[in-house]
Amino acid sequence: MESETIISKQFYAGGDISSEVISPSIFKINNNSTKKHIERPKSIFGFMVLAATFLVLIAGSLLVLQFQPDFDQLHLERLNSTGGIIFLAITVALFLFKGGMFLYNVFLYLKYKPIESVSDELLPTCTVIVPAYNEGKLVYETLMSLAESDFPAHKLELLAIDDGSKDDTWYWIQQAKLKLGDRVSIFQQPQNKGKRHALYRGFNLGKGEIFVTVDSDSIVKKDTLRNLVSPFVVDEKCGAVAGNVQVLNNEKAILPKMLNVSFVMSFEFMRSAESSLGSVLCTPGALAAYKRTAVFACLPEWIDQTFMGQPSDIGEDRAMTNMILKQGHHVLFQRNAYVLTNVPEDYTGLYKMFIRWGRSNVRENIMMAKYVWKDFRKESKVGARLLYTEQFIRILMTYPFFIFMFYFIATHPLLFISSALLGILLVSSFSVLFYAKRYSLGEAFWAYSYSVFYTFSLFWIAPYSIITVHKKGWLTRG
């Protein structure tokens, strides 16, 4: 069977592409299948990381067998105490709820189908807003990829907004203007006011029926825009659409390799399930589309949003999604609308990104609680309420789990480590199988490495995000 290979340089024709900026991530599209494969480089270090992961997980599983009498004794001790029985009851209840939600999500995933692109005549007018801060030449590549989209030129408006960058971002935006001419309009904020304010300016300037927001470190495929906005034509109740985010800089470090598998689970599994309910909880900043009327219905509230008396300077994407859901609109996911985006390559950048996401998640769950139990839409609200309940329980149980974990480590360290490793092996196997089915088996094994890494080095993110939820700051910006 013949296959078509599209490298990132071929996402768009024209424009000088710097290999130093854009990693040659490769899309292979099988003409007889909807599966798309991203080739990843092989390295000795990467192989060593994977090999070490398997050794650790296998060792942990063997230790569980070795310590089986100790596990049995611990179980008996719990059954012989009131506190132990209560603990087991709560654990079983949570397990049944989580297991039920997992099976429900599998059902919803199998039910999900992306909406195919509509014809050029039916496509709505579209304003693409690219806010940029200290992105350097990558913003140029982002604008080039958008300009070469397979989208009617007379229906596409492209806005680039420099948010008071301190590097050469404005220079590269100007270079894009020289290259694209009237196809792009460029603006410069007098000072850095944050991504939300840059988007706000774009919303007020844009003339399109649909607003598309794209991060300035992201590259879209040629058919991404038309696939992203087609749901607004097919579903008149659609208020927002989330794109399918994958990792751009996967060749540069181990962490991006791990994150790419995690992103596939987060988007292609979880958001597919949420989309079947019309209730995607977060449209990503890397690529999202919003109906103009839905945006302006909440724009004053969105730009003036505060938390604990402080202006909100994070979570603008989750906040916009929440406010559009609150209006009763459907929020969908388009698996066929691909975007490649940069992710942190070191531990510091990664945990700062997760802290920002964690704080936003807590804030917006509080906001969602104000409307999710009300009559916010005419259709069934059960699915949206189940999704919210799962997130609420996860936040609610963060500190009890955190305390139990340290108690378990203090009293039975070997039992904790061995059971944690066995749990990772079992739970992460679904991610491995899912990624292998959608993409490739070799890269799927990074799900194990990511789970080990997250469990033992990023476990503190959730409790820290909750206790510092009031704090401001993007964290990863220079």
Side-chain angles (χ1 to χ4, degrees), residues 213-366:
T213 62
V214 180
D215 280 349
S216 54
D217 58 354
S218 303
I219 305 297
V220 301
K221 288 185 62 185
K222 289 180 71 68
D223 62 352
T224 289
L225 289 183
R226 64 184 306 124
N227 287 336
L228 185 71
V229 304
S230 290
F232 294 99
V233 179
V234 177
D235 183 356
E236 62 178 14
K237 296 179 181 178
C238 178
V241 179
N244 190 356
V245 183
Q246 296 191 359
V247 175
L248 173 63
N249 54 327
N250 58 283
E251 294 187 355
K252 295 184 177 181
I254 294 296
L255 286 182
K257 293 176 183 293
M258 298 182 186
L259 286 171
N260 191 66
V261 181
S262 174
F263 276 27
V264 167
M265 278 300 299
S266 175
F267 284 90
E268 298 196 17
F269 178 70
M270 197 59 232
R271 278 177 175 79
S272 292
E274 294 174 352
S275 187
S276 294
L277 299 171
S279 301
V280 172
L281 298 183
C282 182
T283 53
L287 178 66
Y290 306 102
K291 182 179 289 187
R292 180 187 185 89
T293 53
V295 169
F296 278 96
C298 65
L299 195 58
E301 178 187 4
W302 180 78
I303 192 62
D304 293 327
Q305 186 184 32
T306 61
F307 184 81
M308 297 182 70
Q310 295 288 329
S312 294
D313 60 350
I314 61 173
E316 75 293 328
D317 47 4
R318 179 75 192 275
M320 179 65 74
T321 309
N322 233 347
M323 293 177 186
I324 290 176
L325 278 171
K326 182 181 178 182
Q327 296 173 38
H329 292 293
H330 295 167
V331 179
L332 306 178
F333 166 67
Q334 276 290 77
R335 188 170 61 199
N336 54 9
Y338 285 88
V339 61
L340 296 178
T341 192
N342 260 357
V343 297
E345 298 175 9
D346 57 32
Y347 179 73
T348 300
L350 185 63
Y351 79 67
K352 287 181 177 181
M353 181 181 77
F354 281 157
I355 289 172
R356 187 175 74 244
W357 289 359
R359 290 171 178 167
S360 173
N361 186 52
V362 175
R363 294 181 182 191
E364 294 307 320
N365 269 275
I366 294 173

Side-chain angles (χ1 to χ4, degrees), residues 417-432:
I417 293 174
S418 59
S419 60
L421 291 174
L422 177 60
I424 289 172
L425 181 62
L426 295 175
V427 174
S428 297
S429 290
F430 177 78
S431 299
V432 172

Side-chain angles (χ1 to χ4, degrees), residues 68-81:
Q68 190 59 48
D70 299 280
F71 281 106
D72 292 338
Q73 179 63 33
L74 182 61
H75 183 64
L76 287 173
E77 290 175 1
R78 287 176 179 167
L79 289 177
N80 291 327
S81 68

Side-chain angles (χ1 to χ4, degrees), residues 12-19 22 137 140-141 144 172 179:
Y12 46 90
D16 297 327
I17 311 302
S18 171
S19 60
I22 301 297
K137 189 177 182 182
Y140 175 88
E141 312 296 352
M144 289 298 110
W172 286 109
K179 181 74 175 180

